[in-house]
Amino acid sequence: MTERLLLDEQLSGAIADELTRRGHDVASTAADPALRGMPDDQVLELASSQQRIVVTRNIHDFADLDRLWQQHGRTHSGIVYVANLTFPSNRGFVGALVVALDAALKWGSLPRPGATGFLARDQRPRSRRR
């Protein structure tokens, strides 16, 4: 099955555009006026309803949501965390993120449903299994 992504609002629509150009199914909350400003819980709900993995820099809030979903026996479609130390906000940010996500999508190494993982720059993302 082809993995589908939903980029959280802190990630530029240009990232989604480039990944889409490379043949991936990627949606962006930043690029869609109807989704901008959507609360995190609704982003996770939307992504799960569309069978999309959320990609976010908002690690704290989405980790809390992941725990809440676990406590209620719910399974989301997966969450990829983009750490600031691994992907600093500089001129190379967009390009580095596109390369890493493109590779992870090609390898099929993103978190599976109900799992989370940190995106790595030079290696496959590590996924935490339950």
Side-chain angles (χ1 to χ4, degrees):
M1 182 171 105
T2 303
E3 294 168 316
R4 304 168 70 210
L5 304 180
L6 176 62
L7 304 184
D8 197 15
E9 196 166 16
Q10 325 82 3
L11 302 174
S12 164
I15 297 166
D17 291 344
E18 179 58 24
L19 289 168
T20 299
R21 189 186 69 69
R22 293 178 184 209
H24 304 294
D25 186 344
V26 181
S28 167
T29 59
D32 186 338
L35 302 180
R36 271 189 234 132
M38 180 181 279
D40 295 334
D41 61 332
Q42 291 179 19
V43 169
L44 189 57
E45 288 282 352
L46 175 66
S48 293
S49 73
Q50 295 179 355
Q51 298 179 329
R52 292 182 182 276
I53 299 168
V54 173
V55 181
T56 185
R57 292 187 83 148
N58 187 354
I59 297 165
H60 181 267
D61 290 345
F62 277 88
D64 287 347
L65 285 170
D66 175 54
R67 280 189 289 280
L68 186 63
W69 278 50
Q70 286 179 52
Q71 290 169 356
H72 289 95
R74 297 185 68 194
T75 303
H76 52 70
S77 296
I79 302 171
V80 173
Y81 300 124
V82 178
N84 292 329
L85 288 175
T86 307
F87 295 93
S89 296
N90 59 30
R91 292 187 334 177
F93 173 76
V94 170
L97 197 58
V98 166
V99 167
L101 286 170
D102 181 50
L105 285 160
K106 286 177 181 174
W107 293 329
S109 61
L110 294 171
R112 300 292 176 223
T116 65
F118 282 86
L119 187 65
R121 199 178 254 275
D122 297 322
Q123 59 187 345
R124 295 180 188 192
R126 287 174 236 115
S127 178
R128 191 179 78 221
R129 292 283 189 208
R130 292 187 219 254

